[in-house]
Structures are given as structure tokens and as C-alpha cells.
Amino acid sequence: MQQAGEGDRVRIDIPDEADVDHDLHGAHGEVVTVLHDDAGDVTGVDVDSRLYRVALDSGRTVDVRGRDVRPPIDD
């Protein structure tokens, strides 16, 4: 996904079962806000600097990196 903005529906994509946030894999929600930090400077990957705060359909709110956000799957 290029860039999501506030109000966009997204799907969380963390397929690596070893990732501590794997339990979020496949969850859908709405972007509440987009935050920025310097992670991209450390990793060399610009998308890593975008942190999305997502209100999941389950009611939980989480922060995920840009690399973990995809367009939603239509029901």
C-alpha cells in the first residue's frame, strides 16, 4: 500500500509467526492517525518511518509500521 491516510480502511499483514505482533495478522480497521519517526533512517527503508494508529474492528487500537499495512479484503 503506497500510503494510507486518516480514515482509510486497512488490513494488517504480519504473516511471520515469529513476529510478536503476528496476532494482528488479517485484522481490519480504520487509520486514526499517521505518525512519523526516524526508523527509516535506521533501516534505510522510508516506509519504516510511518507508524499507523489503527482502530481495529475488534475495538482494539494498535500502532503498526507502514510495511504491515495493506488494502482491506472486501467481504
Short mmCIF file of all heavy atoms in Angstrom, two decimals:
data_model
loop_
_atom_site.label_atom_id
_atom_site.label_comp_id
_atom_site.label_asym_id
_atom_site.label_seq_id
_atom_site.Cartn_x
_atom_site.Cartn_y
_atom_site.Cartn_z
N MET A 1 0.86 -1.17 0.00
CA MET A 1 0.00 0.00 0.00
C MET A 1 0.90 1.22 0.00
O MET A 1 1.80 1.33 0.83
CB MET A 1 -0.88 -0.05 1.25
CG MET A 1 -1.89 1.03 1.35
SD MET A 1 -3.10 0.69 2.66
CE MET A 1 -4.48 1.52 1.96
N GLN A 2 0.65 2.13 -0.93
CA GLN A 2 1.51 3.31 -1.03
C GLN A 2 1.55 4.08 0.28
O GLN A 2 2.55 4.11 0.95
CB GLN A 2 1.01 4.22 -2.16
CG GLN A 2 1.26 3.67 -3.52
CD GLN A 2 2.74 3.66 -3.87
OE1 GLN A 2 3.59 4.11 -3.13
NE2 GLN A 2 3.05 3.12 -5.01
N GLN A 3 0.48 4.72 0.61
CA GLN A 3 0.36 5.43 1.88
C GLN A 3 -1.11 5.46 2.24
O GLN A 3 -1.95 5.77 1.41
CB GLN A 3 0.89 6.86 1.80
CG GLN A 3 2.37 6.96 1.77
CD GLN A 3 2.82 8.41 1.92
OE1 GLN A 3 2.04 9.34 2.02
NE2 GLN A 3 4.11 8.61 1.93
N ALA A 4 -1.39 5.13 3.47
CA ALA A 4 -2.76 5.24 3.96
C ALA A 4 -2.88 6.58 4.68
O ALA A 4 -1.89 7.12 5.17
CB ALA A 4 -3.07 4.09 4.91
N GLY A 5 -4.07 7.09 4.74
CA GLY A 5 -4.31 8.33 5.44
C GLY A 5 -5.40 8.14 6.48
O GLY A 5 -6.05 7.09 6.55
N GLU A 6 -5.59 9.14 7.28
CA GLU A 6 -6.62 9.09 8.32
C GLU A 6 -7.97 8.78 7.68
O GLU A 6 -8.32 9.34 6.65
CB GLU A 6 -6.67 10.41 9.07
CG GLU A 6 -5.45 10.64 9.92
CD GLU A 6 -5.47 11.97 10.67
OE1 GLU A 6 -6.55 12.60 10.77
OE2 GLU A 6 -4.41 12.37 11.15
N GLY A 7 -8.68 7.85 8.28
CA GLY A 7 -9.99 7.46 7.79
C GLY A 7 -9.98 6.31 6.81
O GLY A 7 -11.03 5.75 6.50
N ASP A 8 -8.80 5.92 6.30
CA ASP A 8 -8.73 4.81 5.35
C ASP A 8 -8.91 3.47 6.05
O ASP A 8 -8.41 3.27 7.17
CB ASP A 8 -7.37 4.79 4.64
CG ASP A 8 -7.20 5.89 3.62
OD1 ASP A 8 -8.21 6.53 3.26
OD2 ASP A 8 -6.06 6.12 3.20
N ARG A 9 -9.63 2.55 5.39
CA ARG A 9 -9.73 1.18 5.87
C ARG A 9 -8.49 0.43 5.44
O ARG A 9 -8.01 0.58 4.32
CB ARG A 9 -10.96 0.48 5.28
CG ARG A 9 -12.23 1.00 5.84
CD ARG A 9 -13.09 0.14 6.69
NE ARG A 9 -13.03 -1.29 6.66
CZ ARG A 9 -12.95 -2.01 7.78
NH1 ARG A 9 -12.90 -1.44 8.96
NH2 ARG A 9 -12.95 -3.32 7.73
N VAL A 10 -7.94 -0.36 6.36
CA VAL A 10 -6.73 -1.12 6.07
C VAL A 10 -6.83 -2.52 6.67
O VAL A 10 -7.68 -2.79 7.51
CB VAL A 10 -5.47 -0.42 6.65
CG1 VAL A 10 -5.23 0.91 5.97
CG2 VAL A 10 -5.56 -0.26 8.15
N ARG A 11 -5.93 -3.38 6.21
CA ARG A 11 -5.77 -4.72 6.75
C ARG A 11 -4.34 -4.84 7.27
O ARG A 11 -3.41 -4.37 6.62
CB ARG A 11 -6.01 -5.75 5.64
CG ARG A 11 -5.71 -7.19 6.02
CD ARG A 11 -6.04 -8.13 4.88
NE ARG A 11 -5.52 -7.69 3.60
CZ ARG A 11 -4.37 -8.10 3.06
NH1 ARG A 11 -3.59 -8.95 3.70
NH2 ARG A 11 -3.99 -7.65 1.89
N ILE A 12 -4.18 -5.46 8.41
CA ILE A 12 -2.85 -5.68 8.97
C ILE A 12 -2.28 -6.97 8.38
O ILE A 12 -2.95 -8.00 8.36
CB ILE A 12 -2.89 -5.79 10.51
CG1 ILE A 12 -3.64 -4.62 11.14
CG2 ILE A 12 -1.47 -5.93 11.08
CD1 ILE A 12 -3.07 -3.26 10.85
N ASP A 13 -1.05 -6.91 7.88
CA ASP A 13 -0.42 -8.06 7.23
C ASP A 13 0.92 -8.34 7.91
O ASP A 13 1.93 -7.72 7.59
CB ASP A 13 -0.22 -7.77 5.74
CG ASP A 13 0.35 -8.95 4.99
OD1 ASP A 13 0.07 -10.10 5.38
OD2 ASP A 13 1.07 -8.72 3.99
N ILE A 14 0.89 -9.27 8.89
CA ILE A 14 2.12 -9.68 9.59
C ILE A 14 2.14 -11.21 9.58
O ILE A 14 1.77 -11.87 10.55
CB ILE A 14 2.14 -9.13 11.04
CG1 ILE A 14 1.97 -7.61 11.04
CG2 ILE A 14 3.46 -9.53 11.73
CD1 ILE A 14 1.88 -6.98 12.42
N PRO A 15 2.54 -11.81 8.44
CA PRO A 15 2.46 -13.26 8.29
C PRO A 15 3.50 -14.05 9.07
O PRO A 15 3.32 -15.25 9.29
CB PRO A 15 2.63 -13.47 6.79
CG PRO A 15 3.43 -12.29 6.34
CD PRO A 15 3.00 -11.15 7.23
N ASP A 16 4.58 -13.41 9.50
CA ASP A 16 5.66 -14.11 10.20
C ASP A 16 5.19 -14.52 11.60
O ASP A 16 4.99 -13.69 12.47
CB ASP A 16 6.88 -13.20 10.30
CG ASP A 16 8.08 -13.87 10.95
OD1 ASP A 16 7.96 -15.02 11.42
OD2 ASP A 16 9.15 -13.23 10.99
N GLU A 17 5.01 -15.82 11.81
CA GLU A 17 4.54 -16.32 13.10
C GLU A 17 5.50 -16.03 14.24
O GLU A 17 5.10 -16.06 15.40
CB GLU A 17 4.25 -17.81 13.00
CG GLU A 17 3.07 -18.11 12.08
CD GLU A 17 2.77 -19.59 11.96
OE1 GLU A 17 3.40 -20.41 12.66
OE2 GLU A 17 1.89 -19.93 11.15
N ALA A 18 6.75 -15.73 13.93
CA ALA A 18 7.73 -15.41 14.97
C ALA A 18 7.63 -13.95 15.41
O ALA A 18 8.19 -13.57 16.44
CB ALA A 18 9.14 -15.71 14.47
N ASP A 19 6.92 -13.12 14.65
CA ASP A 19 6.76 -11.71 14.98
C ASP A 19 5.84 -11.58 16.20
O ASP A 19 4.79 -12.21 16.26
CB ASP A 19 6.16 -10.96 13.78
CG ASP A 19 6.20 -9.45 13.95
OD1 ASP A 19 5.63 -8.94 14.93
OD2 ASP A 19 6.77 -8.78 13.07
N VAL A 20 6.22 -10.74 17.14
CA VAL A 20 5.42 -10.59 18.37
C VAL A 20 4.03 -10.03 18.08
O VAL A 20 3.11 -10.21 18.89
CB VAL A 20 6.14 -9.70 19.41
CG1 VAL A 20 7.43 -10.34 19.87
CG2 VAL A 20 6.39 -8.31 18.87
N ASP A 21 3.84 -9.37 16.94
CA ASP A 21 2.55 -8.81 16.58
C ASP A 21 1.77 -9.67 15.58
O ASP A 21 0.79 -9.22 15.00
CB ASP A 21 2.72 -7.41 16.01
CG ASP A 21 3.17 -6.41 17.06
OD1 ASP A 21 2.71 -6.54 18.22
OD2 ASP A 21 3.95 -5.51 16.74
N HIS A 22 2.20 -10.92 15.41
CA HIS A 22 1.53 -11.82 14.45
C HIS A 22 0.04 -11.98 14.75
O HIS A 22 -0.76 -12.20 13.85
CB HIS A 22 2.21 -13.18 14.42
CG HIS A 22 1.49 -14.18 13.58
ND1 HIS A 22 1.47 -14.11 12.20
CD2 HIS A 22 0.73 -15.25 13.90
CE1 HIS A 22 0.74 -15.09 11.72
NE2 HIS A 22 0.28 -15.80 12.73
N ASP A 23 -0.36 -11.83 16.01
CA ASP A 23 -1.78 -11.98 16.37
C ASP A 23 -2.65 -10.94 15.67
O ASP A 23 -3.87 -11.11 15.59
CB ASP A 23 -1.97 -11.91 17.88
CG ASP A 23 -1.62 -10.56 18.47
OD1 ASP A 23 -0.56 -10.00 18.12
OD2 ASP A 23 -2.41 -10.05 19.30
N LEU A 24 -2.05 -9.89 15.13
CA LEU A 24 -2.79 -8.86 14.41
C LEU A 24 -3.01 -9.22 12.94
O LEU A 24 -3.81 -8.58 12.26
CB LEU A 24 -2.03 -7.52 14.47
CG LEU A 24 -1.79 -6.95 15.85
CD1 LEU A 24 -0.90 -5.71 15.75
CD2 LEU A 24 -3.10 -6.63 16.54
N HIS A 25 -2.32 -10.25 12.45
CA HIS A 25 -2.37 -10.62 11.04
C HIS A 25 -3.81 -10.85 10.59
O HIS A 25 -4.56 -11.59 11.20
CB HIS A 25 -1.54 -11.87 10.79
CG HIS A 25 -1.52 -12.30 9.36
ND1 HIS A 25 -0.89 -11.56 8.39
CD2 HIS A 25 -2.05 -13.36 8.73
CE1 HIS A 25 -1.03 -12.16 7.22
NE2 HIS A 25 -1.74 -13.26 7.41
N GLY A 26 -4.20 -10.14 9.53
CA GLY A 26 -5.52 -10.30 8.95
C GLY A 26 -6.58 -9.39 9.55
O GLY A 26 -7.70 -9.32 9.04
N ALA A 27 -6.25 -8.68 10.63
CA ALA A 27 -7.22 -7.78 11.26
C ALA A 27 -7.48 -6.58 10.35
O ALA A 27 -6.59 -6.11 9.64
CB ALA A 27 -6.71 -7.32 12.62
N HIS A 28 -8.70 -6.09 10.38
CA HIS A 28 -9.10 -4.92 9.60
C HIS A 28 -9.45 -3.78 10.55
O HIS A 28 -9.88 -4.02 11.68
CB HIS A 28 -10.32 -5.23 8.74
CG HIS A 28 -10.01 -6.06 7.55
ND1 HIS A 28 -9.76 -7.41 7.64
CD2 HIS A 28 -9.91 -5.74 6.24
CE1 HIS A 28 -9.53 -7.89 6.42
NE2 HIS A 28 -9.62 -6.89 5.56
N GLY A 29 -9.27 -2.56 10.07
CA GLY A 29 -9.64 -1.41 10.88
C GLY A 29 -9.51 -0.12 10.09
O GLY A 29 -9.33 -0.13 8.87
N GLU A 30 -9.57 0.98 10.82
CA GLU A 30 -9.51 2.31 10.22
C GLU A 30 -8.33 3.08 10.79
O GLU A 30 -8.11 3.07 12.00
CB GLU A 30 -10.81 3.05 10.52
CG GLU A 30 -10.88 4.42 9.88
CD GLU A 30 -12.22 5.08 10.11
OE1 GLU A 30 -13.26 4.44 9.89
OE2 GLU A 30 -12.22 6.25 10.54
N VAL A 31 -7.58 3.75 9.90
CA VAL A 31 -6.45 4.56 10.34
C VAL A 31 -6.98 5.77 11.11
O VAL A 31 -7.79 6.53 10.60
CB VAL A 31 -5.59 5.02 9.14
CG1 VAL A 31 -4.48 5.96 9.60
CG2 VAL A 31 -5.02 3.82 8.40
N VAL A 32 -6.52 5.91 12.35
CA VAL A 32 -6.92 7.03 13.19
C VAL A 32 -5.98 8.20 12.97
O VAL A 32 -6.41 9.35 12.85
CB VAL A 32 -6.92 6.61 14.68
CG1 VAL A 32 -7.24 7.79 15.57
CG2 VAL A 32 -7.88 5.47 14.91
N THR A 33 -4.70 7.91 12.92
CA THR A 33 -3.69 8.95 12.68
C THR A 33 -2.43 8.32 12.11
O THR A 33 -2.21 7.11 12.26
CB THR A 33 -3.38 9.73 13.99
OG1 THR A 33 -2.60 10.88 13.68
CG2 THR A 33 -2.65 8.88 14.99
N VAL A 34 -1.64 9.13 11.45
CA VAL A 34 -0.36 8.68 10.90
C VAL A 34 0.73 9.44 11.63
O VAL A 34 0.75 10.67 11.67
CB VAL A 34 -0.26 8.96 9.38
CG1 VAL A 34 1.07 8.46 8.84
CG2 VAL A 34 -1.43 8.33 8.64
N LEU A 35 1.63 8.69 12.25
CA LEU A 35 2.75 9.25 12.99
C LEU A 35 4.03 9.03 12.19
O LEU A 35 4.09 8.17 11.32
CB LEU A 35 2.86 8.58 14.36
CG LEU A 35 1.57 8.57 15.19
CD1 LEU A 35 1.70 7.61 16.36
CD2 LEU A 35 1.26 9.97 15.66
N HIS A 36 5.05 9.81 12.49
CA HIS A 36 6.34 9.67 11.81
C HIS A 36 7.45 9.65 12.85
O HIS A 36 7.38 10.34 13.87
CB HIS A 36 6.56 10.84 10.84
CG HIS A 36 5.54 10.90 9.76
ND1 HIS A 36 5.63 10.20 8.60
CD2 HIS A 36 4.37 11.59 9.68
CE1 HIS A 36 4.58 10.44 7.85
NE2 HIS A 36 3.79 11.29 8.49
N ASP A 37 8.46 8.81 12.59
CA ASP A 37 9.64 8.79 13.44
C ASP A 37 10.87 8.59 12.57
O ASP A 37 10.79 8.71 11.35
CB ASP A 37 9.52 7.73 14.55
CG ASP A 37 9.43 6.30 14.02
OD1 ASP A 37 9.74 6.06 12.83
OD2 ASP A 37 9.06 5.41 14.79
N ASP A 38 12.01 8.30 13.18
CA ASP A 38 13.25 8.18 12.41
C ASP A 38 13.65 6.73 12.12
O ASP A 38 14.79 6.46 11.75
CB ASP A 38 14.39 8.90 13.14
CG ASP A 38 14.72 8.30 14.49
OD1 ASP A 38 13.99 7.40 14.95
OD2 ASP A 38 15.71 8.73 15.09
N ALA A 39 12.73 5.78 12.23
CA ALA A 39 13.07 4.38 11.98
C ALA A 39 13.61 4.16 10.57
O ALA A 39 14.50 3.34 10.36
CB ALA A 39 11.85 3.49 12.22
N GLY A 40 13.10 4.90 9.60
CA GLY A 40 13.59 4.77 8.22
C GLY A 40 15.05 5.16 8.09
O GLY A 40 15.78 4.60 7.27
N ASP A 41 15.50 6.10 8.91
CA ASP A 41 16.92 6.47 8.89
C ASP A 41 17.78 5.32 9.38
O ASP A 41 18.89 5.12 8.91
CB ASP A 41 17.16 7.70 9.78
CG ASP A 41 16.47 8.95 9.25
OD1 ASP A 41 16.17 9.00 8.04
OD2 ASP A 41 16.23 9.87 10.06
N VAL A 42 17.25 4.56 10.31
CA VAL A 42 18.00 3.43 10.88
C VAL A 42 18.00 2.24 9.92
O VAL A 42 19.03 1.62 9.68
CB VAL A 42 17.39 3.01 12.24
CG1 VAL A 42 18.06 1.76 12.78
CG2 VAL A 42 17.50 4.15 13.24
N THR A 43 16.83 1.94 9.32
CA THR A 43 16.72 0.76 8.45
C THR A 43 17.07 1.04 7.00
O THR A 43 17.33 0.11 6.24
CB THR A 43 15.29 0.19 8.49
OG1 THR A 43 14.39 1.16 7.92
CG2 THR A 43 14.86 -0.16 9.89
N GLY A 44 17.02 2.32 6.59
CA GLY A 44 17.26 2.65 5.20
C GLY A 44 16.02 2.46 4.33
O GLY A 44 16.09 2.57 3.11
N VAL A 45 14.87 2.18 4.95
CA VAL A 45 13.62 1.98 4.23
C VAL A 45 12.64 3.05 4.68
O VAL A 45 12.18 3.05 5.81
CB VAL A 45 13.05 0.57 4.52
CG1 VAL A 45 11.75 0.36 3.76
CG2 VAL A 45 14.06 -0.51 4.18
N ASP A 46 12.30 3.97 3.76
CA ASP A 46 11.47 5.12 4.10
C ASP A 46 10.14 4.76 4.74
O ASP A 46 9.69 5.41 5.68
CB ASP A 46 11.24 5.98 2.86
CG ASP A 46 10.47 7.25 3.18
OD1 ASP A 46 10.92 8.01 4.06
OD2 ASP A 46 9.41 7.46 2.55
N VAL A 47 9.49 3.71 4.24
CA VAL A 47 8.17 3.32 4.76
C VAL A 47 8.22 2.97 6.25
O VAL A 47 7.22 3.07 6.95
CB VAL A 47 7.56 2.17 3.93
CG1 VAL A 47 8.27 0.86 4.20
CG2 VAL A 47 6.07 2.03 4.21
N ASP A 48 9.39 2.61 6.75
CA ASP A 48 9.53 2.27 8.17
C ASP A 48 9.34 3.48 9.07
O ASP A 48 9.10 3.33 10.27
CB ASP A 48 10.89 1.64 8.46
CG ASP A 48 11.01 0.24 7.89
OD1 ASP A 48 9.96 -0.38 7.60
OD2 ASP A 48 12.14 -0.25 7.74
N SER A 49 9.42 4.67 8.52
CA SER A 49 9.23 5.89 9.31
C SER A 49 7.76 6.23 9.54
O SER A 49 7.45 7.09 10.35
CB SER A 49 9.92 7.08 8.65
OG SER A 49 11.32 6.92 8.71
N ARG A 50 6.86 5.55 8.83
CA ARG A 50 5.43 5.79 9.02
C ARG A 50 4.87 4.78 10.01
O ARG A 50 5.04 3.57 9.85
CB ARG A 50 4.69 5.70 7.70
CG ARG A 50 4.93 6.91 6.82
CD ARG A 50 3.99 6.96 5.64
NE ARG A 50 4.07 5.79 4.77
CZ ARG A 50 4.95 5.64 3.80
NH1 ARG A 50 5.86 6.57 3.59
NH2 ARG A 50 4.93 4.57 3.05
N LEU A 51 4.21 5.29 11.01
CA LEU A 51 3.58 4.46 12.03
C LEU A 51 2.09 4.79 11.99
O LEU A 51 1.71 5.95 12.14
CB LEU A 51 4.18 4.78 13.39
CG LEU A 51 3.84 3.88 14.56
CD1 LEU A 51 4.37 2.47 14.32
CD2 LEU A 51 4.41 4.44 15.85
N TYR A 52 1.28 3.77 11.77
CA TYR A 52 -0.16 3.97 11.66
C TYR A 52 -0.85 3.56 12.95
O TYR A 52 -0.65 2.44 13.42
CB TYR A 52 -0.73 3.14 10.51
CG TYR A 52 -0.25 3.60 9.16
CD1 TYR A 52 0.85 3.02 8.55
CD2 TYR A 52 -0.90 4.64 8.50
CE1 TYR A 52 1.30 3.45 7.31
CE2 TYR A 52 -0.47 5.08 7.26
CZ TYR A 52 0.63 4.48 6.68
OH TYR A 52 1.07 4.91 5.45
N ARG A 53 -1.64 4.44 13.49
CA ARG A 53 -2.50 4.10 14.63
C ARG A 53 -3.83 3.66 14.02
O ARG A 53 -4.49 4.42 13.32
CB ARG A 53 -2.69 5.28 15.56
CG ARG A 53 -3.53 4.94 16.77
CD ARG A 53 -3.25 5.85 17.94
NE ARG A 53 -1.89 5.61 18.41
CZ ARG A 53 -1.13 6.55 18.98
NH1 ARG A 53 -1.59 7.77 19.17
NH2 ARG A 53 0.10 6.26 19.37
N VAL A 54 -4.19 2.40 14.27
CA VAL A 54 -5.35 1.80 13.63
C VAL A 54 -6.35 1.35 14.68
O VAL A 54 -6.00 0.63 15.62
CB VAL A 54 -4.92 0.58 12.76
CG1 VAL A 54 -6.13 -0.08 12.11
CG2 VAL A 54 -3.90 0.99 11.71
N ALA A 55 -7.60 1.79 14.51
CA ALA A 55 -8.71 1.32 15.35
C ALA A 55 -9.26 0.08 14.68
O ALA A 55 -9.91 0.16 13.62
CB ALA A 55 -9.77 2.40 15.49
N LEU A 56 -8.97 -1.08 15.25
CA LEU A 56 -9.39 -2.35 14.66
C LEU A 56 -10.89 -2.56 14.85
O LEU A 56 -11.49 -2.03 15.79
CB LEU A 56 -8.62 -3.50 15.29
CG LEU A 56 -7.11 -3.47 15.11
CD1 LEU A 56 -6.47 -4.64 15.85
CD2 LEU A 56 -6.73 -3.50 13.63
N ASP A 57 -11.47 -3.37 13.98
CA ASP A 57 -12.89 -3.70 14.08
C ASP A 57 -13.21 -4.36 15.41
O ASP A 57 -14.34 -4.28 15.89
CB ASP A 57 -13.31 -4.60 12.93
CG ASP A 57 -13.23 -3.91 11.57
OD1 ASP A 57 -13.10 -2.67 11.53
OD2 ASP A 57 -13.29 -4.62 10.55
N SER A 58 -12.22 -4.99 16.02
CA SER A 58 -12.41 -5.68 17.30
C SER A 58 -12.56 -4.70 18.46
O SER A 58 -12.89 -5.10 19.57
CB SER A 58 -11.22 -6.60 17.58
OG SER A 58 -10.04 -5.83 17.81
N GLY A 59 -12.26 -3.43 18.22
CA GLY A 59 -12.32 -2.42 19.27
C GLY A 59 -10.96 -2.05 19.83
O GLY A 59 -10.81 -1.07 20.55
N ARG A 60 -9.95 -2.83 19.51
CA ARG A 60 -8.58 -2.58 19.96
C ARG A 60 -7.93 -1.52 19.07
O ARG A 60 -8.22 -1.46 17.87
CB ARG A 60 -7.82 -3.91 19.87
CG ARG A 60 -6.42 -3.89 20.34
CD ARG A 60 -5.86 -5.31 20.28
NE ARG A 60 -4.43 -5.29 20.50
CZ ARG A 60 -3.63 -6.31 20.23
NH1 ARG A 60 -4.13 -7.45 19.77
NH2 ARG A 60 -2.34 -6.22 20.45
N THR A 61 -7.07 -0.69 19.63
CA THR A 61 -6.30 0.29 18.85
C THR A 61 -4.84 -0.10 18.93
O THR A 61 -4.32 -0.35 20.03
CB THR A 61 -6.52 1.72 19.40
OG1 THR A 61 -7.91 2.03 19.30
CG2 THR A 61 -5.72 2.73 18.59
N VAL A 62 -4.19 -0.16 17.77
CA VAL A 62 -2.79 -0.60 17.71
C VAL A 62 -1.99 0.36 16.84
O VAL A 62 -2.54 1.08 16.00
CB VAL A 62 -2.67 -2.03 17.15
CG1 VAL A 62 -3.36 -3.03 18.05
CG2 VAL A 62 -3.21 -2.13 15.73
N ASP A 63 -0.67 0.35 17.02
CA ASP A 63 0.26 1.08 16.17
C ASP A 63 1.05 0.06 15.36
O ASP A 63 1.63 -0.88 15.94
CB ASP A 63 1.23 1.92 17.00
CG ASP A 63 0.55 3.08 17.72
OD1 ASP A 63 -0.57 3.46 17.31
OD2 ASP A 63 1.12 3.60 18.69
N VAL A 64 1.05 0.23 14.04
CA VAL A 64 1.79 -0.69 13.17
C VAL A 64 2.59 0.11 12.15
O VAL A 64 2.22 1.23 11.78
CB VAL A 64 0.85 -1.69 12.44
CG1 VAL A 64 0.23 -2.66 13.42
CG2 VAL A 64 -0.21 -0.98 11.65
N ARG A 65 3.67 -0.46 11.68
CA ARG A 65 4.54 0.17 10.69
C ARG A 65 3.91 0.13 9.31
O ARG A 65 3.08 -0.73 9.00
CB ARG A 65 5.90 -0.54 10.63
CG ARG A 65 6.72 -0.38 11.88
CD ARG A 65 7.37 0.97 11.90
NE ARG A 65 7.89 1.26 13.23
CZ ARG A 65 8.27 2.43 13.62
NH1 ARG A 65 8.24 3.46 12.79
NH2 ARG A 65 8.72 2.63 14.83
N GLY A 66 4.33 1.04 8.47
CA GLY A 66 3.83 1.11 7.11
C GLY A 66 3.98 -0.19 6.34
O GLY A 66 3.14 -0.53 5.52
N ARG A 67 5.02 -0.94 6.60
CA ARG A 67 5.25 -2.20 5.88
C ARG A 67 4.20 -3.25 6.23
O ARG A 67 4.06 -4.25 5.53
CB ARG A 67 6.65 -2.73 6.17
CG ARG A 67 6.81 -3.22 7.59
CD ARG A 67 8.12 -3.92 7.88
NE ARG A 67 9.25 -3.04 7.77
CZ ARG A 67 10.48 -3.42 7.46
NH1 ARG A 67 10.74 -4.68 7.29
NH2 ARG A 67 11.45 -2.55 7.36
N ASP A 68 3.45 -3.04 7.33
CA ASP A 68 2.46 -4.02 7.79
C ASP A 68 1.03 -3.66 7.42
O ASP A 68 0.08 -4.32 7.87
CB ASP A 68 2.55 -4.17 9.31
CG ASP A 68 3.92 -4.65 9.77
OD1 ASP A 68 4.55 -5.45 9.05
OD2 ASP A 68 4.37 -4.22 10.85
N VAL A 69 0.85 -2.63 6.60
CA VAL A 69 -0.49 -2.15 6.24
C VAL A 69 -0.77 -2.45 4.78
O VAL A 69 0.05 -2.18 3.91
CB VAL A 69 -0.59 -0.63 6.52
CG1 VAL A 69 -1.92 -0.08 6.04
CG2 VAL A 69 -0.41 -0.35 8.01
N ARG A 70 -1.93 -3.04 4.52
CA ARG A 70 -2.37 -3.37 3.16
C ARG A 70 -3.81 -2.88 2.96
O ARG A 70 -4.53 -2.63 3.93
CB ARG A 70 -2.37 -4.89 2.94
CG ARG A 70 -1.04 -5.57 3.19
CD ARG A 70 -0.08 -5.34 2.02
NE ARG A 70 1.16 -6.06 2.24
CZ ARG A 70 2.21 -5.60 2.92
NH1 ARG A 70 2.16 -4.42 3.47
NH2 ARG A 70 3.30 -6.31 3.07
N PRO A 71 -4.25 -2.83 1.70
CA PRO A 71 -5.66 -2.53 1.46
C PRO A 71 -6.53 -3.61 2.09
O PRO A 71 -6.11 -4.77 2.18
CB PRO A 71 -5.78 -2.54 -0.06
CG PRO A 71 -4.39 -2.35 -0.56
CD PRO A 71 -3.49 -2.98 0.46
N PRO A 72 -7.74 -3.27 2.49
CA PRO A 72 -8.61 -4.28 3.10
C PRO A 72 -9.06 -5.31 2.08
O PRO A 72 -9.09 -5.05 0.88
CB PRO A 72 -9.80 -3.46 3.61
CG PRO A 72 -9.82 -2.25 2.74
CD PRO A 72 -8.38 -1.96 2.38
N ILE A 73 -9.41 -6.49 2.58
CA ILE A 73 -10.01 -7.52 1.74
C ILE A 73 -11.51 -7.29 1.79
O ILE A 73 -12.09 -7.22 2.89
CB ILE A 73 -9.65 -8.93 2.26
CG1 ILE A 73 -8.15 -9.16 2.14
CG2 ILE A 73 -10.44 -9.99 1.49
CD1 ILE A 73 -7.67 -10.47 2.73
N ASP A 74 -12.13 -7.16 0.64
CA ASP A 74 -13.57 -6.94 0.60
C ASP A 74 -14.30 -8.19 1.04
O ASP A 74 -13.92 -9.30 0.68
CB ASP A 74 -14.01 -6.56 -0.83
CG ASP A 74 -13.46 -5.22 -1.25
OD1 ASP A 74 -13.28 -4.34 -0.39
OD2 ASP A 74 -13.20 -5.04 -2.46
N ASP A 75 -15.32 -7.98 1.85
CA ASP A 75 -16.13 -9.12 2.32
C ASP A 75 -17.15 -9.51 1.29
O ASP A 75 -17.66 -8.81 0.55
CB ASP A 75 -16.82 -8.75 3.64
CG ASP A 75 -15.79 -8.53 4.76
OD1 ASP A 75 -14.80 -9.25 4.80
OD2 ASP A 75 -16.02 -7.63 5.57
#
